[in-house]
Amino acid sequence: MDSRAIAELILHLGRIASGDGLVGGLTPTQWTGLRYFARANRFSRTPSAFAAFHGTTRGTASQIIKGLVADGYLKQTRSRTDGRSIRLDPTRKARALLKDDPLQALVRAADALPPGVRGSFAAILQRLLGSVAVQAGKPLFGTCETCAHFEGDDCCQDGVSAYECGFVNEPLAAGELDQLCINFSSAKPGQPGIGTA
Amino acid sequence: MDSRAIAELILHLGRIASGDGLVGGLTPTQWTGLRYFARANRFSRTPSAFAAFHGTTRGTASQIIKGLVADGYLKQTRSRTDGRSIRLDPTRKARALLKDDPLQALVRAADALPPGVRGSFAAILQRLLGSVAVQAGKPLFGTCETCAHFEGDDCCQDGVSAYECGFVNEPLAAGELDQLCINFSSAKPGQPGIGTA
DNA sequence: CAAGATAGTTTGGAATCGCTATTATATGAA
DNA sequence: TTCATATAATAGCGATTCCAAACTATCTTG
């Protein structure tokens, strides 16, 4: 009974926090896209990855992206290794607009929580998301922190490449560790992730 | 930094939990309407109240309701005291359909949380919602439990009407205390509500 | 080189939503 | 009473969104 109230609360909170209609010239879907490309790592800033994240088709994702590119919020770059693939990077204009994100109301509210509470609250949200994603058969996005492919040399970092992704076999910069990745895989049972509660 | 991740998590969780497209013959908005009228108290089951809750216009709310009435999920009743007002009650068919609510995936996930965690988690969600609603200038819906208009005779219940609403001046049945109400008002500072953390 | 898979785009149609009247009822003042 | 204003609900219109399917281009495999 209480669980149902929680589920409806999450839905409702998300709805009224994202704001209706145009805010700062962008529609709610465009805001979602902008937020995604501002938070995804370089392997995940593609139309297909966004479609998977957003739970929609590639066609719809393509339309959303087209609008953002036309308005100068995203810049397209063809991949050198794969001629089909396109990477989308947020422009400076996009970064500036994100300051006026209608979601900021919720961000401020979360910021007012005590630090300790905030951490455990986020962990529970992540847990719920993982459970729902599995039930819905959708891919789960996550960060290196709890990813099974993450190979961090916490003990013996001797040079430039202290961190590496075991999935794409490429070094990772420190700033990339908290970005969203489509290749995320839950840490193996016998080898728990770093920040696991 | 962490707060932003929380905000985006809530948005994302709500989106993928509500399911895309038609589920059980209803669109996501229709599901929202059905859930609302199944959880709102008798003072709040009107088109206007639903519009306020859903953060949309009465026009849009009216359309959503029209579809649900046409499909036999809601029954309209004109108010005896106000000829303009209409109350909408979920039918038995609606109650049955709610068993197949796509949101059940999230409900199950929340149900898997430890009882103690679940309670505090819900309290934090409620707190975030209150904060966001104030910032967005939208009415906050809530239950009698923490409402300033609630007059419960916890100590001296002598007869039939142990509970009463001070806003509409009507007695309340025990089963109505956990329903959503549009007249909700946060408990006064000097007189904290019952379940306040 | 041919066949199939994958990345991305385009198009057409259905549905949704917000805005703006419009109708009906209620309330308050002259 | 009568008029003006406010509120509850609905209807029509235009813009947007979304999905499904078809399509192009590129990569991979046999």
Side-chain angles (χ1 to χ4, degrees):
Chain A
M1 199 29 137
D2 204 19
S3 303
R4 175 140 197 108
I6 287 179
E8 294 184 1
L9 255 179
I10 292 175
L11 221 63
H12 188 209
L13 187 50
R15 169 156 186 97
I16 80 166
S18 66
D20 328 306
L22 292 186
V23 182
L26 266 62
T27 65
T29 10
Q30 286 181 316
W31 274 113
T32 305
L34 206 56
R35 286 183 206 117
Y36 175 82
F37 288 105
R39 232 178 90 70
N41 68 11
R42 62 192 136 104
F43 312 120
S44 312
R45 291 199 291 269
T46 66
S48 290
F50 172 60
F53 175 83
H54 196 227
T56 185
T57 61
R58 286 198 306 273
T60 301
S62 190
Q63 280 179 310
I64 298 170
I65 291 168
K66 185 166 65 173
L68 289 171
V69 170
D71 291 348
Y73 294 115
L74 293 179
K75 192 162 121 334
Q76 296 184 335
T77 312
R78 295 207 83 91
S79 167
R80 300 203 181 278
T81 61
D82 188 334
R84 299 167 303 177
S85 187
I86 286 184
R87 202 184 68 236
L88 296 138
D89 302 309
T91 62
R92 190 170 300 115
K93 184 180 174 187
R95 300 278 179 191
L97 187 65
L98 279 168
K99 299 278 194 300
D100 300 326
D101 190 339
L103 197 59
Q104 286 295 337
L106 181 52
V107 175
R108 278 191 295 270
D111 225 28
L113 296 174
V117 170
R118 190 159 62 230
S120 54
F121 181 72
I124 296 174
L125 280 175
Q126 192 77 49
R127 178 172 161 182
L128 292 179
L129 177 59
S131 175
V132 171
V134 167
Q135 290 185 59
K138 289 184 177 169
L140 177 63
F141 283 61
T143 64
C144 295
E145 198 188 9
T146 57
C147 180
H149 303 130
F150 180 62
E151 299 173 1
D153 298 337
D154 272 342
C155 49
C156 46
Q157 47 191 47
D158 44 23
V160 277
S161 59
Y163 310 107
E164 188 172 319
C165 175
F167 189 78
V168 295
N169 281 315
E170 282 199 36
L172 296 166
E176 294 181 307
L177 302 189
D178 65 341
Q179 294 181 333
L180 285 182
C181 184
I182 189 179
N183 301 127
F184 175 81
S185 173
S186 224
K188 304 151 199 154
Q191 182 184 325
I194 297 173
T196 306
Chain B
M1 199 26 139
D2 203 20
S3 302
R4 173 138 199 111
I6 286 179
E8 293 185 0
L9 255 179
I10 291 175
L11 221 62
H12 188 208
L13 186 49
R15 170 158 184 96
I16 80 167
S18 66
D20 328 308
L22 292 186
V23 181
L26 265 63
T27 66
T29 15
Q30 287 181 315
W31 275 111
T32 305
L34 206 55
R35 286 183 206 116
Y36 175 80
F37 288 105
R39 232 177 90 71
N41 69 11
R42 63 194 137 106
F43 312 119
S44 312
R45 291 199 290 269
T46 67
S48 290
F50 173 60
F53 175 83
H54 196 228
T56 185
T57 61
R58 285 200 300 272
T60 301
S62 192
Q63 278 179 311
I64 298 170
I65 291 168
K66 186 166 65 173
L68 288 172
V69 170
D71 292 349
Y73 293 115
L74 293 179
K75 191 163 123 330
Q76 295 183 337
T77 310
R78 294 206 86 89
S79 167
R80 301 204 182 275
T81 61
D82 187 333
R84 300 168 303 178
S85 187
I86 286 183
R87 202 184 70 238
L88 296 136
D89 302 309
T91 62
R92 191 171 297 116
K93 184 180 174 187
R95 301 278 179 193
L97 187 66
L98 279 167
K99 298 278 193 301
D100 301 328
D101 190 339
L103 197 61
Q104 286 295 336
L106 181 52
V107 175
R108 277 190 295 270
D111 225 28
L113 296 174
V117 171
R118 191 160 61 229
S120 53
F121 180 72
I124 297 174
L125 280 176
Q126 192 79 47
R127 178 172 162 182
L128 292 179
L129 177 59
S131 175
V132 170
V134 168
Q135 290 185 60
K138 290 183 178 169
L140 178 62
F141 283 61
T143 63
C144 296
E145 197 188 10
T146 58
C147 181
H149 302 131
F150 180 62
E151 298 172 1
D153 299 335
D154 273 343
C155 48
C156 46
Q157 45 190 47
D158 44 24
V160 278
S161 60
Y163 310 107
E164 186 171 319
C165 175
F167 188 79
V168 295
N169 281 314
E170 282 200 35
L172 296 166
E176 294 181 306
L177 302 189
D178 65 340
Q179 293 182 336
L180 286 182
C181 184
I182 189 178
N183 301 128
F184 176 80
S185 174
S186 222
K188 303 151 199 155
Q191 182 184 326
I194 297 174
T196 306

